[in-house]
Every structure is written in C-alpha cells, then in structure tokens.
Amino acid sequence: MKNMLTIISNALCRITGRNVGAQTVSEGTRAVVSRSFADFTSQATFDIKKCDVHRLEEGPPLKAELTREQGLRYYRIMQTVRRMELKADQLYKQKIIRGFCHLYDGQEACAVGIEAAINPSDHLITAYRAHGYTYTRGIAVKEILAELTGRRGGVAKGKGGSMHMYAPHFYGGNGIVGAQVPLGAGIALACQYQGNNQVCVALYGDGAANQGQLFESFNMAALWKLPCIFTCENNQYGMGTSVERASASTDYYKRGDFIPGIRVDGMDVLCVREAFKFAAEHCRSGKGPIVMELKTYRYHGHSMSDPGVSYRTREEIQEVRSKSDPITMLKERMLSNNMASVEEFKEIDIAIRKEVEEAAQYATSDPEPPLEELCNHIFSNDSPLEVRGTNPWARLKSVS
Amino acid sequence: RLKNIVLGWNDLLCSKPMMVRDALNQAMDEELERDERVFLLGEEVAQYDGAYKVSRGLWKKYGDKRIIDTPITEMGFAGIAVGAAMAGLRPICEFMTFNFSMQAIDQIINSAAKTYYMSAGFQAVPIVFRGPNGASAGVAAQHSQCFAAWYAHCPGLKVVSPWNAEDAKGLLKSAIRDDNPVVFLENELMYGVPFEMSEESQSKDFTIPIGKAKVERQGTHVSLVSHSRYVSHCLDAAVVLAKEGIECEVINLRTIRPLDVECIETSVMKTNHLVTVEGGWPQFGVGAEICARIMEGPAFNYLDAPATRVTGVDIPMPYAKILEDNSLPQIKDIIFSVKKTLNV
C-alpha cells in the first residue's frame, strides 16, 4: 500500500514536473485522512471542445490551463449561484418571493466563465435571468435574495425586484426581451468614446435572438467597430418554444452575418473562459464586435410559473444533469487530476450552504422598505418634488 | 424724444433677432464645447447638417466622434444612446420627427425613464431626446402627431416644449445639463421664426429652469395657457381681443412635465377664467390634465365658468390645405372660445 502510494506520488511528480512531496502514510490508515496542501497538483491543462467559428481564420485554443486556486474559485462561485437559485425556488414556493423569478441553475458555467475572462472594469448587461450575473459582478447573495423578497436591504432597496438589479459596470437585469442589446452596444460606444480599452458583454437568449433591434445593433456595432461581445445564451427554449420552432436559422453565432461568430460549449466553464478571452482580445484590438453563442441548458422552466415539462421531457432534463452538469464536470476534472480532494469540495459546499441559509434568513427577516421611500429616486440630482398620490389630498414627497 | 432714445438703447442692448433653429444650434454648440461627454446622434445630423439644419456646422467643428450619423434604425440608435448615457456619456438623441420616436418608445420609457427608480437611485440616465413634434405643413397623418401627452404621462421623464428662440436656447441647455431623461419637443414651423434675444441670453451659461412656466402677457379677464407654436396664436388672439376690451393673460408653459400648476393657479385666481390651447388631440391631452389639476386645487373656487380646451380636431391629420387648416386651432377658434367662456 505504501509503495503503491509512493509510486503514484512519484509518477505525479514526473507528469507535473513539480515536487508533489513525498507523503508518508502509516500502515493501516485509510488512503486519505488529511492531505497537505503540497499534495495536490497545482496546475493542469485540459482539452476543451473545439468551437465552431464564423468569419474567423482561427478560434479559441483547444486547451485550457487551470490552477488549483482557479478551479476551487470557479467551483465555489458556480455552486453559490446554484444554491442561491435553488433557495430562491424554495422561497418562491413559500410565496415569500412574488411576481417573476427566472432561475439560472444549469447555466452557471456561462456567467462564471465570462467573468473569469474579462476584467471587473469591463461592462456587462443581460436580460431577466440575471441573478447569477448580479452575483458574479459583485453583489452579495443576501442582497440578491433580499431584493427578491422585496426588502430594504435588497440591492435595489426592494424597488427593482428580480429583473432590475444593478452593480458597478453591471447594467441589469432588463425586463423587455432584446432591449438590453442596443443598450449594450451603447455601453460599448461609451468605452470606445472614452478610449478606456474596456469591452461590453451584451447577453441575450435564443428567444431574443430574432428581435429586430438586435440586428439594428449588429449593424451599428459593425459600422462603428464597437467593442461589444454580443452573446446568445442558447438554452434551447424561448419560454415554451424550442429553437427549431422559433428560428429559421438556429446557428445563432452566424446571425451577425458580417460579424464574426463563435459557438461555445456553455456547460464547460473552461471552454467559456477561453472563448471569451479570445473575444475580449478581438474587441480590444479594434476589430469591432463579435457574436458568441453559448450552448447551455436551464434545469428550471422559463420562470417559476412554468413547470418546464410541457415542452420538453423529464428524461431530457435528467440527461443533461447527469452528463453535462457544469459544476459536476469541473469537480470531476479536478478530482481525477488530483487537484483537490472530495473533502475540500464538501467543505466548500457546507460553507456555501451556510452562506445561502444565512442570506435567506436575512432576506426573510429584513423589513420592507419604508413607505416614505415610495416616491424617491424619480430624478437624479434634482431638488425635491411633490408627487401626486392615489387621491388629490395625497401629496407625497420625492427626493433624488 | 426721450422715449425714442430709451427705446433705441433698448434695441442696442438686445441682440439682432435670432431664429429658433439657430438658438437650438447655439445651445448645442455651447454645450458640446463645455462638456466633452456631450455628443449628438441621429439621422442626417452630421454631414447633411441636419434634416432641418438645426445641427448645421456642428460636424465640421466637432467631427465624427461627437456628431454621429446613424442608419434609419430608431429603436437601435435610441437604445445605443441610452446605453451610452448609462455608461458615462451625455448623449443628445435626435429623432427626425417625434413620429419616428414611436419605434423607439420602449427604450425611452422602459430603458431610460424608469431606470433611476428601478435601481433605487444607482443608475442615472442623462439623455436628451429632441426633434420636431406635432403638425408641420402638408405632411399628412403619419408625420403630424403631437406626443406631448404621451410622454408627459410617464414618471421619470421631463418633457419640455419651448416656444420662442430664447426658450429654445435656455431650455435645451438646461435639458443637456440635466442628469435625467428629457424629451425636448421642438416645432418645425417655428424653426425659421426670428425672435429678439435678451442680453442675458447671450451668455454661455444662460439657462432657463425646467418646470417653470412664463407669463408672456399680463391680463385680467382670462388665462390663456398654451405651449409651443400656439403661444404665438394666443398672443395674436390677445391683441384682437384687447381691442374689444378683453385682456388675456397668456401663459407659456415651457415645460409640460413637471407642469407649473402654481403659475396657472395664480393666474386663474386673478382672472377667474381658463382656456387651454394646444395642437394635440383633445382626449387625454395636455389641456385635459390642466383642467383636472385646476379642479383639484385652490383655483377651482375662483372659476366663474368651466375651463375650456382648444385643441386639434380629433382626427388623423388630413393632407388637403383646407382640411389641414381646419384640423388645428386657429386664432379665430381661440377668440371664439374666450368669448364663450366669458359669456360675451
């Protein structure tokens, strides 16, 4: 047993070229009780799926490097998004969250992979399935959940709700399908105008991909070479309508026509990251916009009022869960390359569960916004004004 | 003789008359110079010098970066303008006429107007949407609609409607400096009309506050409340009525939203009679709002007669000149309405 472990250990040293460190495991103990930090592979290279490209001589690389630190970080962020969305599901069923709630579980690799590829000073805008991006762009879980429950501690003080959360360099959270795409092109125009070498990622779904205003945006972005990464999160269904029933062409990465495009495996966080590094470089180098298509999948229905099984089979959902789950894929990659231990992942899971539970506690106990806030934030940087209430004697006050 | 000398000095102090389009041009020029975040985009605004020549000379002076010709894609370029405003710039988005803004109205209302509120004060949208509004001459139904009531309905927007050149300059400068979405309703028929400009309007820092109406003519018998081109009609009607001993107080709203109700109330409490005049359709319009507000406030008790609205005819705009002329308030309609209100 001891010899076996030493052989493996030495083999690892040769493969990675690093001193994994000889480990001594006493007789009779189980293989792993507590492993020291130095036991793990600190970096590995993985093969990733080749991306289909449109109007590009070359695409993103076929290999991705992952450090242990990165891997644990991506795992933690994806798992946090996953657990946060599942908690939102729970709170919605308890009627503590009302109205619209569009959950992101299954699509985590997209948000995390994109964030890993861009800088915090870059810009991002998406549609209404926005909780994951709100988190990756820097807002704490408790502020997101408290916004869903409509409390004063919510990121928009309870005034926005699920679809209207904002953060520095994150422009929501937009409820009107497709409207966020011209906004994203405009943000890219501001980057170009200000000469700050930043890019904007403008996300939309397969349903929005047929909106006219997208093509208007593609046209202007290409004409003016705006640094905009137009990104279609293709989760196969626009509400209850499958892509084949909605789009004459389902090659969303080609829909930019004269704009180069890349189709990416959206379930693989490394594939997403490498593709977006490529895309960001393309935009920063002044080549103009690019269209990305992330093939991904949502486990939930379109929203909490859609069970999600009238237009697709439970078998299909289960198949994706078992074969392509983004979090499981990353974890298995890391485990099989000795980059982390099962215990470590368990510890991370426990910590996340605790964080999400505490956030839910906060979100259910934080008070609702005060009525005095009702009319505030109509105008920015303005003197106070009077707002008519429900009747002529209700003269309410609004401050900026 | 002394009076003539004084009047002569007065003329020297005022500048030579300026057309509304040149006042708008000057306002944009000064603001482009003052703040490099300000830029103009729209159809034909750059190399064509503006469809109505309002942006004449600006592209030559400021170049491609600041004055941008767009394709004919209102929804797209209005959205781009709003996004640019969110990310730190101060765009002026021109609609060739406000009729075309209907294609972009979702971006104006849902992306621009509501965002500061939805974000609880995090995301401001400092943008101006400007262009000619309302009827022109002979352009028929699809090119003649007045959008004052539509935009003024929405919280989160400011809606401005200048009348003369001084209004145009001062209000446009204020709109550009405002950190909020402003819908700036110009009037094509007023572009070529010259007006005296006061001494103070020569200053590069001359602004007129948004939300304050102006009494253009003092009067005692009736309050005539109007905006944009119809202020001229009201003043002309007032001259005719004065000959018959009826003194009209003419109020130029300048801003539709927020409405300066106080100014109207003060006037009505003095004159006891109210007549509103607008080019837009009657139902659910600017005049309707003014009547409702007067009823809800202290001025109601001072009315000696129900308020009267003079409006455009409730039809799509016809083409033939005789039909078009009779689709909009004429001076005789205002005179008739005043007399009916005063029961004379």
Side-chain angles (χ1 to χ4, degrees), chain A residues 199-216:
Chain A
V199 302
C200 180
V201 180
L203 293 133
Y204 56 95
D206 47 277
N210 298 312
Q211 275 261 320
Q213 57 188 320
L214 259 71
F215 299 93
E216 297 187 16

PDB file of all heavy atoms in Angstrom, chain A residues 199-216:
ATOM      1  N   VAL A 199     -14.415  46.589 -22.674  1.00  0.00           N
ATOM      2  CA  VAL A 199     -15.378  45.987 -23.593  1.00  0.00           C
ATOM      3  C   VAL A 199     -16.708  45.804 -22.866  1.00  0.00           C
ATOM      4  O   VAL A 199     -16.771  45.884 -21.635  1.00  0.00           O
ATOM      5  CB  VAL A 199     -14.898  44.606 -24.129  1.00  0.00           C
ATOM      6  CG1 VAL A 199     -13.572  44.735 -24.839  1.00  0.00           C
ATOM      7  CG2 VAL A 199     -14.826  43.584 -23.014  1.00  0.00           C
ATOM      8  N   CYS A 200     -17.754  45.562 -23.662  1.00  0.00           N
ATOM      9  CA  CYS A 200     -19.059  45.292 -23.063  1.00  0.00           C
ATOM     10  C   CYS A 200     -19.558  43.934 -23.539  1.00  0.00           C
ATOM     11  O   CYS A 200     -19.550  43.644 -24.744  1.00  0.00           O
ATOM     12  CB  CYS A 200     -20.071  46.374 -23.438  1.00  0.00           C
ATOM     13  SG  CYS A 200     -21.697  46.078 -22.702  1.00  0.00           S
ATOM     14  N   VAL A 201     -19.989  43.101 -22.595  1.00  0.00           N
ATOM     15  CA  VAL A 201     -20.622  41.832 -22.943  1.00  0.00           C
ATOM     16  C   VAL A 201     -22.132  42.051 -22.878  1.00  0.00           C
ATOM     17  O   VAL A 201     -22.668  42.400 -21.826  1.00  0.00           O
ATOM     18  CB  VAL A 201     -20.214  40.715 -21.962  1.00  0.00           C
ATOM     19  CG1 VAL A 201     -20.885  39.399 -22.347  1.00  0.00           C
ATOM     20  CG2 VAL A 201     -18.704  40.556 -21.925  1.00  0.00           C
ATOM     21  N   ALA A 202     -22.810  41.901 -24.009  1.00  0.00           N
ATOM     22  CA  ALA A 202     -24.254  42.136 -24.080  1.00  0.00           C
ATOM     23  C   ALA A 202     -24.954  40.801 -24.316  1.00  0.00           C
ATOM     24  O   ALA A 202     -24.878  40.236 -25.400  1.00  0.00           O
ATOM     25  CB  ALA A 202     -24.576  43.118 -25.196  1.00  0.00           C
ATOM     26  N   LEU A 203     -25.617  40.295 -23.280  1.00  0.00           N
ATOM     27  CA  LEU A 203     -26.202  38.951 -23.345  1.00  0.00           C
ATOM     28  C   LEU A 203     -27.668  38.972 -23.731  1.00  0.00           C
ATOM     29  O   LEU A 203     -28.396  39.909 -23.413  1.00  0.00           O
ATOM     30  CB  LEU A 203     -26.046  38.280 -21.982  1.00  0.00           C
ATOM     31  CG  LEU A 203     -24.597  37.973 -21.620  1.00  0.00           C
ATOM     32  CD1 LEU A 203     -24.286  38.411 -20.214  1.00  0.00           C
ATOM     33  CD2 LEU A 203     -24.336  36.484 -21.770  1.00  0.00           C
ATOM     34  N   TYR A 204     -28.077  37.894 -24.400  1.00  0.00           N
ATOM     35  CA  TYR A 204     -29.484  37.716 -24.760  1.00  0.00           C
ATOM     36  C   TYR A 204     -29.723  36.222 -24.947  1.00  0.00           C
ATOM     37  O   TYR A 204     -28.785  35.443 -25.017  1.00  0.00           O
ATOM     38  CB  TYR A 204     -29.835  38.509 -26.022  1.00  0.00           C
ATOM     39  CG  TYR A 204     -28.963  38.189 -27.220  1.00  0.00           C
ATOM     40  CD1 TYR A 204     -29.363  37.258 -28.173  1.00  0.00           C
ATOM     41  CD2 TYR A 204     -27.734  38.831 -27.394  1.00  0.00           C
ATOM     42  CE1 TYR A 204     -28.552  36.957 -29.270  1.00  0.00           C
ATOM     43  CE2 TYR A 204     -26.922  38.529 -28.482  1.00  0.00           C
ATOM     44  CZ  TYR A 204     -27.336  37.595 -29.419  1.00  0.00           C
ATOM     45  OH  TYR A 204     -26.524  37.299 -30.498  1.00  0.00           O
ATOM     46  N   GLY A 205     -30.976  35.833 -25.029  1.00  0.00           N
ATOM     47  CA  GLY A 205     -31.290  34.413 -25.145  1.00  0.00           C
ATOM     48  C   GLY A 205     -31.632  34.013 -26.568  1.00  0.00           C
ATOM     49  O   GLY A 205     -31.682  34.841 -27.474  1.00  0.00           O
ATOM     50  N   ASP A 206     -31.893  32.691 -26.749  1.00  0.00           N
ATOM     51  CA  ASP A 206     -32.263  32.233 -28.086  1.00  0.00           C
ATOM     52  C   ASP A 206     -33.594  32.832 -28.507  1.00  0.00           C
ATOM     53  O   ASP A 206     -33.839  33.047 -29.697  1.00  0.00           O
ATOM     54  CB  ASP A 206     -32.310  30.702 -28.136  1.00  0.00           C
ATOM     55  CG  ASP A 206     -33.062  30.102 -26.968  1.00  0.00           C
ATOM     56  OD1 ASP A 206     -32.452  29.947 -25.893  1.00  0.00           O
ATOM     57  OD2 ASP A 206     -34.259  29.787 -27.140  1.00  0.00           O
ATOM     58  N   GLY A 207     -34.449  33.150 -27.536  1.00  0.00           N
ATOM     59  CA  GLY A 207     -35.730  33.786 -27.858  1.00  0.00           C
ATOM     60  C   GLY A 207     -35.544  35.199 -28.362  1.00  0.00           C
ATOM     61  O   GLY A 207     -36.175  35.627 -29.329  1.00  0.00           O
ATOM     62  N   ALA A 208     -34.655  35.937 -27.721  1.00  0.00           N
ATOM     63  CA  ALA A 208     -34.410  37.329 -28.114  1.00  0.00           C
ATOM     64  C   ALA A 208     -33.630  37.422 -29.408  1.00  0.00           C
ATOM     65  O   ALA A 208     -33.592  38.484 -30.034  1.00  0.00           O
ATOM     66  CB  ALA A 208     -33.640  38.050 -27.009  1.00  0.00           C
ATOM     67  N   ALA A 209     -32.997  36.332 -29.816  1.00  0.00           N
ATOM     68  CA  ALA A 209     -32.088  36.372 -30.965  1.00  0.00           C
ATOM     69  C   ALA A 209     -32.769  36.767 -32.263  1.00  0.00           C
ATOM     70  O   ALA A 209     -32.095  37.117 -33.227  1.00  0.00           O
ATOM     71  CB  ALA A 209     -31.414  35.012 -31.143  1.00  0.00           C
ATOM     72  N   ASN A 210     -34.103  36.712 -32.284  1.00  0.00           N
ATOM     73  CA  ASN A 210     -34.807  37.095 -33.513  1.00  0.00           C
ATOM     74  C   ASN A 210     -35.321  38.518 -33.497  1.00  0.00           C
ATOM     75  O   ASN A 210     -35.933  38.976 -34.448  1.00  0.00           O
ATOM     76  CB  ASN A 210     -35.983  36.125 -33.740  1.00  0.00           C
ATOM     77  CG  ASN A 210     -35.507  34.704 -33.938  1.00  0.00           C
ATOM     78  OD1 ASN A 210     -34.596  34.451 -34.715  1.00  0.00           O
ATOM     79  ND2 ASN A 210     -36.105  33.762 -33.214  1.00  0.00           N
ATOM     80  N   GLN A 211     -35.077  39.238 -32.397  1.00  0.00           N
ATOM     81  CA  GLN A 211     -35.555  40.611 -32.271  1.00  0.00           C
ATOM     82  C   GLN A 211     -34.885  41.525 -33.293  1.00  0.00           C
ATOM     83  O   GLN A 211     -33.670  41.490 -33.485  1.00  0.00           O
ATOM     84  CB  GLN A 211     -35.213  41.143 -30.875  1.00  0.00           C
ATOM     85  CG  GLN A 211     -36.226  40.791 -29.803  1.00  0.00           C
ATOM     86  CD  GLN A 211     -37.177  41.933 -29.534  1.00  0.00           C
ATOM     87  OE1 GLN A 211     -36.760  43.082 -29.506  1.00  0.00           O
ATOM     88  NE2 GLN A 211     -38.441  41.621 -29.346  1.00  0.00           N
ATOM     89  N   GLY A 212     -35.677  42.387 -33.923  1.00  0.00           N
ATOM     90  CA  GLY A 212     -35.148  43.325 -34.901  1.00  0.00           C
ATOM     91  C   GLY A 212     -34.078  44.242 -34.342  1.00  0.00           C
ATOM     92  O   GLY A 212     -33.086  44.536 -35.014  1.00  0.00           O
ATOM     93  N   GLN A 213     -34.276  44.689 -33.096  1.00  0.00           N
ATOM     94  CA  GLN A 213     -33.326  45.653 -32.550  1.00  0.00           C
ATOM     95  C   GLN A 213     -31.930  45.063 -32.375  1.00  0.00           C
ATOM     96  O   GLN A 213     -30.941  45.800 -32.309  1.00  0.00           O
ATOM     97  CB  GLN A 213     -33.841  46.259 -31.241  1.00  0.00           C
ATOM     98  CG  GLN A 213     -34.178  45.275 -30.145  1.00  0.00           C
ATOM     99  CD  GLN A 213     -34.866  45.956 -28.963  1.00  0.00           C
ATOM    100  OE1 GLN A 213     -34.490  47.065 -28.581  1.00  0.00           O
ATOM    101  NE2 GLN A 213     -35.870  45.321 -28.397  1.00  0.00           N
ATOM    102  N   LEU A 214     -31.834  43.722 -32.339  1.00  0.00           N
ATOM    103  CA  LEU A 214     -30.519  43.105 -32.304  1.00  0.00           C
ATOM    104  C   LEU A 214     -29.786  43.367 -33.608  1.00  0.00           C
ATOM    105  O   LEU A 214     -28.595  43.698 -33.610  1.00  0.00           O
ATOM    106  CB  LEU A 214     -30.633  41.589 -32.107  1.00  0.00           C
ATOM    107  CG  LEU A 214     -30.390  41.088 -30.706  1.00  0.00           C
ATOM    108  CD1 LEU A 214     -31.531  41.476 -29.800  1.00  0.00           C
ATOM    109  CD2 LEU A 214     -30.198  39.595 -30.691  1.00  0.00           C
ATOM    110  N   PHE A 215     -30.496  43.207 -34.701  1.00  0.00           N
ATOM    111  CA  PHE A 215     -29.858  43.386 -35.998  1.00  0.00           C
ATOM    112  C   PHE A 215     -29.523  44.848 -36.248  1.00  0.00           C
ATOM    113  O   PHE A 215     -28.521  45.172 -36.883  1.00  0.00           O
ATOM    114  CB  PHE A 215     -30.738  42.753 -37.089  1.00  0.00           C
ATOM    115  CG  PHE A 215     -30.902  41.279 -36.861  1.00  0.00           C
ATOM    116  CD1 PHE A 215     -31.981  40.785 -36.154  1.00  0.00           C
ATOM    117  CD2 PHE A 215     -29.913  40.398 -37.285  1.00  0.00           C
ATOM    118  CE1 PHE A 215     -32.097  39.423 -35.878  1.00  0.00           C
ATOM    119  CE2 PHE A 215     -30.028  39.033 -37.015  1.00  0.00           C
ATOM    120  CZ  PHE A 215     -31.115  38.547 -36.322  1.00  0.00           C
ATOM    121  N   GLU A 216     -30.349  45.736 -35.701  1.00  0.00           N
ATOM    122  CA  GLU A 216     -30.006  47.156 -35.767  1.00  0.00           C
ATOM    123  C   GLU A 216     -28.710  47.402 -34.999  1.00  0.00           C
ATOM    124  O   GLU A 216     -27.843  48.157 -35.444  1.00  0.00           O
ATOM    125  CB  GLU A 216     -31.149  48.002 -35.172  1.00  0.00           C
ATOM    126  CG  GLU A 216     -32.456  47.880 -35.960  1.00  0.00           C
ATOM    127  CD  GLU A 216     -33.535  48.841 -35.477  1.00  0.00           C
ATOM    128  OE1 GLU A 216     -33.216  49.809 -34.753  1.00  0.00           O
ATOM    129  OE2 GLU A 216     -34.708  48.634 -35.849  1.00  0.00           O
TER     130      GLU A 216
END
